[in-house]
Amino acid sequence: MRDSKSTSTTQAAGRARAAGFEVEWRRAAEPVSYPEAVAFMEERVRAIRAGEVGELVWLIEHPPLYTAGTSARVEDLIDPDYLPVYRSGRGGQYTYHGPGQRIAYVMLDLARRKPDIRAYVAALEGWVIAALADFGVRGERRAGRVGIWVETSEGEAKIAAIGVRVRRWITFHGISINVAPDLAQYRGIVACGIRDRGVTSLAALGIEADMAMVDAALERHFGAFFGE
């Protein structure tokens, strides 16, 4: 999919500077199918590598679906007929995507920044934690468990997932934050392969936040984590 085609699905586009790097931001007006999103990212990564276009943060939602990362285990797909399931080249296991979940697909050139994948994942985690703090939510890392976790009245729960892919130092895929999705739709999988902990969202925590507010928080904190 070419960049020009994707502009018809966006409601806003802009640019932001992070420590001297100009990064394009786009927001999809309607849910984007997973195959369409992957095709767009593949083309954008190629074009960034070729020097034809700049870096991009693409903010979207998907229709309800599951994706299986490169470490997904067949036993963690509890109900294969509940929602469409897509194999993904990102790292990680099974996860859910759907309306009410903000997905940020991040396409950056690490060769221009810092060619260190672990540092990049840590930056994604820090970025999400900083954005959640704007809503009074204390997001935390957990050793051995990628993603961002919060303490709830029912115990520890995951509020944001991270799954990345890097090709010749160009990143794609990215993060998802549960703003106000239907959490019941996680029932067809063992999310991220973790059976003894649940998932939550800003809405489930009693926080009234819409996508525009979450997007603003993400954009506000981006430069602190993705500069030179």
Side-chain angles (χ1 to χ4, degrees):
M1 180 182 301
R2 291 282 176 181
D3 235 14
S4 57
K5 184 176 179 181
S6 72
T7 58
S8 65
T9 66
T10 58
Q11 67 182 39
R15 294 186 181 274
R17 287 197 171 272
F21 294 103
E22 190 172 49
V23 180
E24 181 182 359
W25 287 68
R26 295 190 183 189
R27 295 167 181 81
E30 302 293 337
V32 180
S33 75
Y34 194 72
E36 180 184 0
V38 171
F40 174 78
M41 286 190 287
E42 291 278 356
E43 172 59 16
R44 185 73 180 213
V45 166
R46 183 207 63 77
I48 291 171
R49 178 68 184 175
E52 299 170 2
V53 296
E55 298 169 310
L56 173 68
V57 177
W58 192 24
L59 302 170
I60 72 170
E61 295 171 81
H62 283 307
L65 57 90
Y66 298 132
T67 62
T70 55
S71 300
R73 301 173 300 190
V74 64
E75 63 267 28
D76 289 339
L77 182 58
I78 298 170
D79 186 349
D81 299 319
Y82 182 56
L83 291 176
V85 181
Y86 296 94
R87 288 285 166 184
S88 174
R90 63 162 176 80
Q93 302 185 45
Y94 283 103
T95 194
Y96 164 77
H97 294 309
Q101 183 187 74
R102 174 49 85 213
I103 296 168
Y105 286 139
V106 183
M107 287 153 269
L108 302 180
D109 184 353
L110 295 186
R112 296 175 56 218
R113 296 167 174 274
K114 184 177 183 179
D116 184 326
I117 295 174
R118 288 187 179 181
Y120 172 65
V121 172
L124 289 174
E125 292 172 334
W127 181 38
V128 173
I129 289 169
L132 292 174
D134 284 4
F135 301 95
V137 175
R138 182 178 177 179
E140 298 178 326
R141 298 175 173 92
R142 291 290 183 266
R145 288 188 265 134
V146 177
I148 303 303
W149 301 79
V150 297
E151 293 292 340
T152 75
S153 60
E154 298 179 354
E156 191 178 56
K158 194 170 191 175
I159 195 169
I162 296 172
V164 304
R165 189 173 183 183
V166 179
R167 178 181 297 154
R168 300 179 71 183
W169 294 117
I170 310 296
T171 69
F172 54 129
H173 297 275
I175 66 167
S176 62
I177 300 175
N178 288 340
V179 181
D182 179 0
L183 296 178
Q185 293 196 317
Y186 277 89
R187 71 174 179 82
I189 58 171
V190 177
C192 302
I194 299 171
R195 296 178 178 274
D196 59 348
R197 291 169 175 82
V199 292
T200 191
S201 66
L202 290 176
L205 295 174
I207 296 166
E208 295 183 4
D210 59 24
M211 288 297 179
M213 294 166 65
V214 172
D215 293 348
L218 288 170
E219 195 161 354
R220 186 160 49 245
H221 293 286
F222 184 83
F225 294 94
F226 300 101
E228 281 186 276

